[in-house]
Amino acid sequence: MASATPATDFTDGEAAAMDVALAAALQGPRGANPLVGATILSPEGTSLFTGHHRGAGTPHAEADAIAQAQEAGADLSGCTMLVTLEPCNHVGRTGPCTEAIIDAGITSVVYAVDDPHDPAAGGARTLRAAGVQVRSGLAAEKALELNRRWFAAVAALRPFVTLHIAQTLDSRIAAEDGTSQWISSPESLADNHAIRRRIDAILVGTETVMVDNPRLSAREPDGTPSSAQPVRAVMGLRGIPANAAIRGDDGLAHHLPTREPKEALAALYEAGTRHVMVEGGSRILSAFLTAGLVDELIVYLAPTLLGSGTSALNGLGIGTLADAQRWEWDAADGGSVRSLGADLRLHLQPQHPLSSDPRNAAEPAQKGS
Amino acid sequence: MASATPATDFTDGEAAAMDVALAAALQGPRGANPLVGATILSPEGTSLFTGHHRGAGTPHAEADAIAQAQEAGADLSGCTMLVTLEPCNHVGRTGPCTEAIIDAGITSVVYAVDDPHDPAAGGARTLRAAGVQVRSGLAAEKALELNRRWFAAVAALRPFVTLHIAQTLDSRIAAEDGTSQWISSPESLADNHAIRRRIDAILVGTETVMVDNPRLSAREPDGTPSSAQPVRAVMGLRGIPANAAIRGDDGLAHHLPTREPKEALAALYEAGTRHVMVEGGSRILSAFLTAGLVDELIVYLAPTLLGSGTSALNGLGIGTLADAQRWEWDAADGGSVRSLGADLRLHLQPQHPLSSDPRNAAEPAQKGS
């Protein structure tokens, strides 16, 4: 872990390449790992190859950029790598990035922010020991903002939380008679299964198990179970019925006997979960939102109206409009608004605490509609 | 009014030009007038100028295309005009299109569908009498679909109905304490005022007058009243309080003593309204949706959550998901999804009765989520 270097230590070319890396990072999905982008700059200052991380279990951004370079037969000796996060030093599901960088002959690394995990294990030290020049702090503010919620989850020793709502235009998640299959388009359902394949755990309330009896497994487009399956956690004081579909026969179903989101997250973290998707029902969704424990919100919005039935949320303890929860559009993971069949997929994150609320800046002209 | 001509009477160039006209038509807003596009084809078969209608009180598509040609100093004699609707013959807020076409020296007109208004006054007859060759029926199906709801409103002798909802992500239009100013961004409010400037009437329920006491006037971005003001109609059995802001001092406020959308529309139509925007509250919005009397739905979706308060809708008489109201995205008026400041503006129309619902085509693979 290195201390920040003054901004004047970076060239314009390096700053521009870091911006390319930041933009590339945004193409990845949020979750257990931070969004990271990396760009390799040739000695002549030309940006050569750009990589990004595509989610847990896939190559890190540095390895992605190096792999592209090697595939193109490029010689990277003497090159500089710009990366939005300190290169990792550990062998997880993928090899350590420090090794890949050293092996590629890259002689200089500039990264934006330190890896918040165990500082002693930081990659900067390893790189320096191998003779690589290392500088940091370039575009640090942007890089922190890019993964603001991820840094907060890591600091709190809890999983990153994705909240999933599949609703109608009028925010109903079930009709009066309880029917909810399917509010979303087939494309939205497939997207949801793609997320299930890359998370560690999926979490629902006991109510959802009773009413919908979902399997909550990750499945391929053809309906077969995916090779990677998330833990299936059910929170609530009631037990899971013996014949509930969620039990399955793979030992991945767990009951968390609590109604407190914080306690559920602590138990999941303890069991190794670093990314959990909360799927419902409205009581659980509302509890997580009320507790401020949602890092990412994905809303599948169907172009339908029910007018009655179960609302997505059943109370956030908000009495007046000024206290409404403010969210901001999240461009990561394919964009803030995407079409999925007839549905819209909306992607948001909690508004940055320092962001001004545009609603407070309304011109007096617009008062008294 | 002419009977349809067999499709074989049209050249490939004419068919392509009609598609251009249809696409141009979609750029306009829906309302009292249909969406119309027009393309002028040179004798050599080159598409020269394309125009479209921009809403009530603005030049028709034919006049728009001719004006562009004249501005460019083009000679239109011997040209063919392709237009998605039979050219009009009447002097409304703009001059008759037939006259403009004849004066421009255009010698051939191909239109898609007949004007549904008084057939005897149709423009085709006038054009023919002036020696212009007239053919019709090219792309008739697409042209009918383009203005499906407008044709239905005209046939029913009622105004075209735009429904407006300003809501949070969880479809709340007011917080628990009744506060609702402003759920939407300043940009959404400005867009709403732009619509108010081009409609004939704005309609709310007595409840909205009591709770929000809105002025409902159309105002410019700087807050000053627009020169064009819609009628302000309040429907419901209660009267309008003497000091209600909606009364204004311009004589444009009216009370419609009914709770029935159909009756309210009949009264408005009788008074000359051809385009009404229904703004709320939830009882009125729900009544119009339940009655199937909404031609266009505009939702301003703020990236905020309330969790409780007033839902946009308070019941549509739907008990089970299979009976949900299905809508389809409407590409007219700038697109089906637009960013307005922090908000999304969603634009929809009732699903075509013959459209298949993609939710029914879900693969068995996706059952049992």
Side-chain angles (χ1 to χ4, degrees), chain B residues 5 48 78 91 94 102 119 160 177 183 218 227 230 235 266 285 288 308 351 360:
Chain B
T5 327
L48 286 175
V91 182
T94 58
I102 295 163
F160 185 89
D177 67 352
I183 281 176
S227 53
M235 68 182 277
L285 299 174
F288 271 83
S308 58
Q351 190 175 72
N360 297 335

Side-chain angles (χ1 to χ4, degrees), chain A residues 165 167-172 175-187 189-190 192-193 196 214-217 219-224 279 289 297 299 301-308 311-329 337 341-344 346 348 358-359 361-369, chain B residues 165 167-172 175-187 189-190 192-193 196 214-217 219-224 279 289 297 299 301-308 311-329 337 341-344 346 348 358-359 361-369:
Chain A
I165 303 177
Q167 67 172 32
T168 62
L169 279 175
D170 58 327
S171 197
R172 305 290 177 172
E176 273 178 15
D177 67 352
T179 47
S180 64
Q181 293 183 0
W182 299 108
I183 280 177
S184 302
S185 70
E187 292 83 353
L189 297 174
N192 181 245
H193 279 274
R196 288 182 185 181
R215 282 187 280 167
L216 295 184
S217 57
R219 294 188 293 284
E220 299 297 316
D222 67 1
T224 57
E279 284 220 8
L289 287 163
L297 177 60
V299 180
L301 190 68
T304 56
L305 295 173
L306 277 168
S308 58
S311 288
L313 306 182
N314 71 353
L316 299 175
I318 297 169
T320 190
L321 185 60
D323 296 336
Q325 283 198 8
R326 313 242 172 243
W327 293 70
E328 59 188 33
W329 300 101
V337 182
D343 296 352
L344 287 187
L346 311 181
L348 304 101
R359 277 160 197 80
E363 294 297 312
Q366 275 125 2
K367 297 287 178 196
S369 186
Chain B
I165 303 178
Q167 68 173 31
T168 61
L169 280 174
D170 59 326
S171 197
R172 305 291 176 171
E176 273 178 16
D177 67 352
T179 48
S180 64
Q181 295 182 358
W182 299 109
I183 281 176
S184 302
S185 70
E187 292 83 354
L189 297 174
N192 179 245
H193 279 275
R196 288 183 186 181
R215 283 187 279 168
L216 296 183
S217 56
R219 293 187 293 284
E220 300 297 316
D222 67 1
T224 56
E279 284 221 8
L289 287 163
L297 176 60
V299 180
L301 190 68
T304 57
L305 296 173
L306 277 167
S308 58
S311 289
L313 306 181
N314 70 353
L316 300 175
I318 296 169
T320 191
L321 185 59
D323 296 336
Q325 282 198 9
R326 313 245 171 241
W327 292 70
E328 59 188 33
W329 301 101
V337 182
D343 296 353
L344 288 187
L346 310 180
L348 303 101
R359 277 161 196 78
E363 295 298 311
Q366 275 126 1
K367 298 287 178 197
S369 188

Side-chain angles (χ1 to χ4, degrees), chain B:
Chain B
M1 181 142 147
S3 58
T5 327
T8 47
D9 284 0
F10 310 108
T11 67
D12 288 352
E14 286 171 345
M18 184 63 92
D19 280 343
V20 171
L22 283 163
L26 262 186
Q27 296 175 42
R30 299 191 182 279
N33 294 359
L35 299 181
V36 183
T39 299
I40 300 171
L41 206 61
S42 69
E44 298 76 37
T46 324
S47 178
L48 286 175
F49 298 97
T50 300
H52 72 277
H53 182 56
R54 291 173 178 78
T58 68
H60 287 186
E62 301 93 319
D64 184 39
I66 292 171
Q68 288 181 45
Q70 287 170 341
E71 209 160 287
D75 175 16
L76 299 184
S77 45
C79 283
T80 297
M81 174 173 279
L82 287 295
V83 56
T84 60
L85 186 75
E86 181 181 6
C88 80
N89 201 21
H90 66 277
V91 182
R93 279 184 271 187
T94 58
C97 289
T98 48
E99 200 175 291
I101 291 169
I102 295 163
D103 288 351
I106 290 171
T107 50
S108 170
V109 167
V110 177
Y111 67 87
V113 289
D114 295 334
D115 186 331
H117 291 106
D118 184 8
R125 174 179 302 195
T126 305
L127 289 169
R128 284 205 183 87
V132 177
Q133 186 204 36
V134 178
R135 289 167 293 151
S136 68
L138 174 58
E141 210 167 309
K142 287 183 198 170
L144 281 170
E145 169 58 22
L146 178 70
N147 289 298
R148 179 168 47 85
R149 295 293 301 198
W150 179 83
F151 281 111
V154 167
L157 301 178
R158 63 160 177 83
F160 185 89
V161 178
T162 297
L163 200 81
H164 157 283
I165 303 178
Q167 68 173 31
T168 61
L169 280 174
D170 59 326
S171 197
R172 305 291 176 171
I173 59 171
E176 273 178 16
D177 67 352
T179 48
S180 64
Q181 295 182 358
W182 299 109
I183 281 176
S184 302
S185 70
E187 292 83 354
S188 291
L189 297 174
D191 183 78
N192 179 245
H193 279 275
I195 297 174
R196 288 183 186 181
R197 287 196 287 274
R198 60 176 161 79
I199 60 179
D200 301 314
I202 191 166
L203 178 64
V204 296
T206 44
E207 176 94 10
T208 295
V209 172
M210 300 298 184
V211 175
D212 294 341
N213 193 25
R215 283 187 279 168
L216 296 183
S217 56
R219 293 187 293 284
E220 300 297 316
D222 67 1
T224 56
S226 303
S227 53
Q229 289 292 335
V231 163
R232 302 182 298 277
V234 182
M235 68 182 277
L237 301 182
R238 284 182 288 178
I240 309 176
N243 60 349
I246 199 172
R247 286 188 174 274
D249 53 11
D250 53 9
L252 289 173
H254 295 287
H255 180 221
L256 307 173
T258 174
R259 284 181 164 176
E260 287 301 320
K262 209 172 170 177
E263 287 176 14
L265 290 183
L268 286 167
Y269 190 85
E270 184 69 25
T273 292
R274 294 297 175 266
H275 184 198
V276 61
M277 176 156 64
V278 180
E279 284 221 8
S282 57
R283 182 201 294 265
I284 302 298
L285 299 174
S286 303
F288 271 83
L289 287 163
T290 303
L293 287 171
V294 178
D295 300 307
E296 173 186 57
L297 176 60
I298 297 176
V299 180
Y300 298 106
L301 190 68
T304 57
L305 296 173
L306 277 167
S308 58
T310 310
S311 289
L313 306 181
N314 70 353
L316 300 175
I318 296 169
T320 191
L321 185 59
D323 296 336
Q325 282 198 9
R326 313 245 171 241
W327 292 70
E328 59 188 33
W329 301 101
D330 188 344
D333 196 14
S336 52
V337 182
R338 281 160 56 189
S339 285
L340 284 177
D343 296 353
L344 288 187
R345 180 196 199 262
L346 310 180
H347 188 211
L348 303 101
Q349 58 180 336
Q351 190 175 72
H352 192 290
L354 299 180
S355 295
S356 65
D357 175 9
R359 277 161 196 78
N360 297 335
E363 295 298 311
Q366 275 126 1
K367 298 287 178 197
S369 188

